[in-house]
């Protein structure tokens, strides 16, 4: 389907400005934002203007949910957060609003997304990689947050990415991430797919909301709790302190992994 995303953004610019003003965030949506593209092409196909409202409302809901979650573990708020696979800032634009005393950094596979976050949102960032062995970051963080990244990660890099992101967590800090799980897979079957976990508790197909990425490196995955436990178990001192089925959007599972404090 041929859709003029820049034209749609121009036509809805006043609407976006009005919504963003009430929320106290930037009104800018990048023309390259594949999540917005997905909302337009796959979700709001009969009324594309609703994608703008959903973009801002959904980002705000995720930011509020994340802030409430981290305050359970850091009542005064974490010192710093790394948002991994941050995209073009659907959630990031609310960072200073929901966690005003927290330093926030982003990482994403798209260099143009990191540039947009810096230029439009004033948010520091670093380009990531398809290969976890080639990704590193100098700073350690109270919280490393990966929303709906592991719901698209192939089996060959899943455990390696868990380990690599955990390495960026400061002592006493948390790795927080979501995955598709049993609830998500049930939704897929309800839509006519014949989808099941394999013997390891892993499922994969090559479809995703990111049309510009290699479908063999970024598709749609779903995992069970034992599968994630097997990825966390080899990590020195890692403690899976929370698993909550269907926590995010009513279908993605939540995982919270804690790194021990230095003795």
């Amino acid at each position: 389907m041929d859709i003029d995303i820049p034209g749609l953004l121009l036509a809805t610019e006043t609407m976006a400005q009005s919504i963003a003003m009430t929320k106290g965030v930037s009104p800018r949506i990048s023309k390259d934002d594949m999540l917005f593209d997905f909302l337009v092409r796959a979700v709001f196909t009969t009324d594309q203007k609703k994608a703008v409202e959903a973009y801002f409302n959904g980002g705000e809901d995720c930011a509020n949910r994340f802030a409430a979650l981290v305050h359970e573990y850091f009542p005064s708020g974490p010192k710093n957060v790394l948002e991994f696979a941050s995209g073009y800032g659907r959630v990031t634009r609310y960072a200073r609003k929901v966690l005003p005393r927290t330093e926030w950094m982003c990482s994403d596979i798209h260099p143009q997304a990191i540039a947009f976050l810096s230029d439009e949102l004033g948010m520091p960032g670093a380009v990531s990689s398809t290969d976890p062995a080639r990704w590193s970051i100098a700073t350690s963080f109270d919280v490393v947050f990966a929303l709906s990244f592991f719901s698209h990660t192939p089996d060959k890099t899943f455990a390696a990415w868990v380990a690599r992101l955990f390495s960026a967590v400061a002592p006493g800090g948390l790795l927080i991430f979501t995955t598709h799980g049993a609830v998500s897979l049930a939704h897929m079957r309800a839509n006519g797919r014949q989808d099941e976990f394999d013997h390891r508790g892993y499922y994969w197909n090559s479809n995703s909301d990111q049309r510009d990425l290699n479908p063999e490196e970024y598709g749609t995955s779903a995992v069970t709790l034992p599968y994630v436990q097997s990825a966390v178990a080899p990590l020195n001192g890692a403690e899976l302190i929370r698993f909550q089925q269907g926590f995010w959007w009513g279908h993605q599972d939540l995982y919270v992994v804690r790194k021990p404090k230095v003795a």
Side-chain angles (χ1 to χ4, degrees):
M1 181 168 50
D2 187 19
I3 296 175
D4 180 9
I5 296 293
L8 176 61
L9 288 172
L10 183 61
T12 57
E13 185 175 15
T14 300
M15 175 186 176
Q17 289 173 344
S18 176
I19 295 171
M21 183 177 295
T22 65
K23 298 181 182 299
V25 297
S26 170
R28 290 293 307 279
I29 301 174
S30 171
K31 64 178 178 59
D32 299 312
D33 191 324
M34 282 292 140
L35 182 53
F36 180 73
D37 179 274
F38 176 76
L39 291 173
V40 170
R41 294 177 186 275
V43 182
F44 298 99
T45 56
T46 60
D47 189 350
Q48 295 167 347
K49 290 183 178 180
K50 287 186 177 179
V52 176
E53 184 176 2
Y55 186 91
F56 285 103
N57 288 343
E60 182 179 45
D61 177 72
C62 288
N64 286 333
R65 186 179 294 269
F66 173 68
L69 178 63
V70 297
H71 274 122
E72 293 183 32
Y73 303 97
F74 297 92
S76 299
K79 179 182 70 175
N80 55 6
V81 165
L82 172 66
E83 183 189 359
F84 189 79
S86 53
Y88 288 81
R90 186 189 187 193
V91 177
T92 315
R93 69 189 65 222
Y94 295 93
R96 296 187 180 97
K97 185 177 180 181
V98 299
L99 291 171
R101 293 184 296 276
T102 297
E103 297 177 10
W104 194 290
M105 186 173 181
C106 300
S107 187
D108 193 83
I109 192 67
H110 300 92
Q112 62 269 39
I114 296 302
F116 179 85
L117 292 169
S118 175
D119 296 343
E120 298 297 335
L121 304 182
M123 193 65 65
V127 179
S128 64
S129 171
T130 58
D131 180 2
R134 297 178 61 187
W135 181 85
S136 64
I137 202 156
T139 307
S140 58
F141 298 85
D142 282 351
V143 179
V144 174
F145 176 48
L147 176 62
S148 199
F149 168 70
F150 287 101
S151 53
H152 300 284
T153 307
D155 173 64
K156 65 182 179 180
T157 56
F158 193 102
W161 271 120
V162 171
R164 184 60 75 176
L165 294 184
F166 186 71
S167 73
V169 177
L174 305 172
L175 170 60
I176 298 176
F177 61 93
T178 68
T179 72
H180 290 137
V183 177
S184 305
L185 212 59
H187 289 328
M188 295 179 200
R189 287 195 293 267
N191 289 326
R193 297 185 63 94
Q194 302 298 315
D195 299 320
E196 299 290 346
F197 292 114
D198 66 16
H199 67 281
R200 302 163 301 167
Y202 183 82
Y203 162 82
W204 171 262
N205 75 61
S206 59
N207 298 315
S208 85
D209 56 1
Q210 301 284 320
R211 296 184 297 115
D212 61 333
L213 297 181
N214 184 338
E216 297 307 313
E217 296 174 344
Y218 192 93
T220 296
S221 64
V223 296
T224 61
L225 173 59
Y227 180 91
V228 175
Q229 288 173 321
S230 69
V232 172
L235 306 179
N236 185 31
E239 183 184 5
L240 179 57
I241 61 172
R242 184 168 179 173
F243 163 71
Q244 195 163 339
Q245 191 175 58
F247 177 87
W248 220 286
W249 300 306
H251 73 93
Q252 285 209 21
D253 297 343
L254 170 70
Y255 292 88
V256 180
V257 183
R258 181 164 56 199
K259 179 174 283 190
K261 295 180 180 180
V262 176

